[in-house]
Amino acid sequence: CNNKGNALARLGKHDLALQFYERALESDPAVRTAWVNKGFGLAKLGRFREAAECANAAIRLTTGVAGGA
């Protein structure tokens, strides 16, 4: 799903790409790249607060920090 989202994002179809990133995260919420890609897509759509939340999720997975600050 993450790869399909990337293909759609390259075509500028960020709304559709987000659906595939969300599917990838439903399957495995520990896929850091899906969080990063979802964040980029949200930022492209001007949804910066949600994009930041995705970035934080990716950072938590990278650093192994549970929860949020």
Side-chain angles (χ1 to χ4, degrees), residues 6-63:
N6 290 341
L8 289 164
R10 281 191 293 276
L11 295 172
K13 299 181 179 191
H14 300 289
D15 281 327
L16 289 173
L18 287 175
Q19 294 175 21
F20 284 94
Y21 299 140
E22 289 169 3
R23 285 185 200 171
L25 291 167
E26 286 172 9
S27 294
D28 185 356
V31 178
R32 184 183 55 83
T33 55
W35 285 109
V36 171
N37 293 335
K38 181 179 176 183
F40 279 127
L42 288 165
K44 286 284 191 181
L45 295 171
R47 295 165 58 183
F48 301 113
R49 183 179 306 260
E50 292 168 274
E53 291 169 4
C54 290
N56 287 332
I59 291 167
R60 284 192 299 273
L61 287 170
T62 301
T63 62

